[in-house]
C-alpha cells in the first residue's frame, strides 16, 4: 500500500533550469511533509519540510508548494546545478505520536552541465 | 558533532546465516528508527524506539527480524536465518523528538546487506 505517490521517476534538467518533483498523499492524518536528498552510498538528508498550515516554504533555491485540498505537494529547485544531481524523496508523517516517515518512491534527478 | 553511524557498512551473508547490524545515534537523541531501503525504492519503516522502549515494530516483515536498544543509546537490528529477499540497505535514523513533538530525523549512511 503506497501512501505517498511520487513523480516523475527520473528527471533530466539543464543547468540553470527549474526541477519540479510532485507528490500526492491519501491519508489526511499526515501533517508534516519533508523532502530528503540522497546521494549514492549515503543516507537521506533533510532538505526542506512543510506543515499544511502554509501553502509555500522557500529555503534558498528550494521551494515546497503545498495544496491541502488536493492533497498534493511539490519540490521546486530553482537554478538547478550539477551538484543537485541526486535522488529526492518526499515523505509524510502523521500527527504527533506517530513518528514514522512514509516515503515516496524517489526521483532521480540529473542536472546536465 | 558526529552524525549517526552504522556498522558494518557492507555485509555479505549466506542464506540462513544470522546477521547483526549496529546503529550509533547522535548523542542525546531520544528517538531511533530503523528503515529498510530496497534498490531503487524509498526507505520503508521497520521499527521505532523512544529511549529503550520499542514503541512501534509494525514494519518488521517477519519474526526473523528483531531490534533492541537496551540502554537507550546504541541499537542493534538482528536478522535471523537470512533470506535473499532480505538484501537491502538498512538505514538507521535518530531524532531529538519526544512523544508529542516532531523533529527532524537524521539518517546514517546505512548498512548494505547482500544475502547470497
Amino acid at each position: 500500500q503506497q501512501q505517498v505517490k511520487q513523480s516523475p521517476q527520473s528527471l533530466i534538467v539543464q543547468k540553470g533550469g527549474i526541477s519540479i518533483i510532485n507528490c500526492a498523499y491519501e491519508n489526511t492524518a499526515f501533517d508534516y511533509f519533508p523532502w530528503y536528498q540522497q546521494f549514492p552510498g549515503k543516507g537521506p538528508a533533510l532538505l526542506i519540510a512543510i506543515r499544511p498550515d502554509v501553502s509555500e516554504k522557500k529555503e534558498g533555491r528550494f521551494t515546497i508548494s503545498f495544496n491541502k485540498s488536493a492533497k498534493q505537494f511539490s519540490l521546486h529547485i530553482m537554478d538547478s546545478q550539477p551538484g543537485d544531481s541526486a535522488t529526492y524523496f518526499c515523505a509524510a508523517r502523521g500527527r504527533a505520536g506517530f513518528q514514522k516517515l512514509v516515503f515516496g518512491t524517489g526521483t532521480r534527478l540529473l542536472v546536465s552541465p | 558533532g558526529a552524525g549517526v553511524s552504522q556498522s558494518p557498512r557492507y555485509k555479505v551473508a549466506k542464506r540462513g546465516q544470522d546477521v547483526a547490524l549496529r546503529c550509533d545515534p547522535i548523542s542525546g537523541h531520544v528517538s531511533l528508527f530503523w528503515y529498510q531501503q530496497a534498490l531503487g525504492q524509498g526507505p520503508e519503516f521497520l521499527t521505532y524506539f523512544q529511549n529503550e522502549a520499542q514503541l512501534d515494530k509494525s514494519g518488521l516483515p517477519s519474526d526473523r527480524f528483531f531490534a533492541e536498544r537496551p540502554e537507550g543509546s546504541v541499537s542493534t537490528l538482528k536478522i535471523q536465518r537470512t533470506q535473499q529477499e532480505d538484501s537491502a540497505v538498512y538505514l538507521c535514523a535518530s531524532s531529538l523528538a519526544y512523544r508529542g513533538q516532531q523533529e527532524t530525523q537524521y539518517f546514517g549512511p546505512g548498512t548494505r546487506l547482500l544475502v547470497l
Side-chain angles (χ1 to χ4, degrees):
Chain A
Q1 181 185 3
Q2 186 180 355
Q3 297 190 54
V4 180
K5 294 183 179 181
Q6 184 172 347
S7 63
Q9 187 174 0
S10 62
L11 181 62
I12 301 175
V13 173
Q14 286 193 332
K15 179 182 176 181
I18 302 173
S19 303
I20 302 174
I21 304 170
N22 301 298
C23 283
Y25 64 98
E26 293 290 331
N27 190 344
T28 56
F30 290 148
D31 70 348
Y32 174 70
F33 302 89
W35 284 89
Y36 279 82
Q37 179 188 56
Q38 186 175 30
F39 293 102
K42 306 291 186 182
L46 179 70
L47 198 59
I48 186 172
I50 197 169
R51 300 185 192 278
D53 53 347
V54 297
S55 60
E56 186 175 282
K57 183 175 181 180
K58 183 177 180 179
E59 290 184 1
R61 296 185 294 111
F62 302 94
T63 300
I64 299 179
S65 296
F66 188 87
N67 186 330
K68 187 175 181 178
S69 62
K71 291 186 285 186
Q72 295 176 347
F73 58 111
S74 60
L75 175 69
H76 296 231
I77 306 174
M78 312 299 288
D79 188 26
S80 299
Q81 299 297 311
D84 297 331
S85 298
T87 301
Y88 292 81
F89 294 97
C90 62
R93 186 163 60 192
R95 289 182 297 270
F98 298 88
Q99 300 286 333
K100 66 184 180 184
L101 288 172
V102 177
F103 283 86
T105 51
T107 297
R108 182 173 292 186
L109 171 65
L110 176 64
V111 181
S112 59
Chain B
V4 177
S5 61
Q6 293 185 243
S7 60
R9 291 295 314 278
Y10 304 92
K11 177 69 179 178
V12 179
K14 292 183 179 179
R15 190 167 63 93
Q17 282 185 333
D18 297 349
V19 298
L21 312 180
R22 177 187 169 106
C23 172
D24 286 79
I26 295 172
S27 178
H29 278 198
V30 169
S31 294
L32 186 144
F33 307 80
W34 284 98
Y35 293 85
Q36 180 190 59
Q37 186 173 24
L39 188 64
Q41 299 297 313
E44 292 195 359
F45 171 79
L46 293 176
T47 188
Y48 161 59
F49 290 86
Q50 183 177 303
N51 295 307
E52 69 279 2
Q54 189 174 20
L55 298 185
D56 187 349
K57 54 182 180 180
S58 62
L60 296 177
S62 76
D63 58 7
R64 296 186 295 104
F65 286 71
F66 172 77
E68 60 182 4
R69 193 186 185 197
E71 298 180 355
S73 178
V74 172
S75 176
T76 303
L77 176 66
K78 298 179 179 178
I79 309 174
Q80 297 177 325
R81 305 180 302 282
T82 53
Q83 303 295 314
Q84 287 185 325
E85 61 263 29
D86 299 334
S87 296
V89 175
Y90 291 85
L91 294 165
C92 176
S94 70
S95 74
L96 276 172
Y98 288 88
R99 191 173 182 85
Q101 298 179 13
Q102 302 199 33
E103 294 286 349
T104 301
Q105 291 185 23
Y106 296 89
F107 283 81
T111 294
R112 184 176 297 274
L113 173 65
L114 177 62
V115 181
L116 301 176

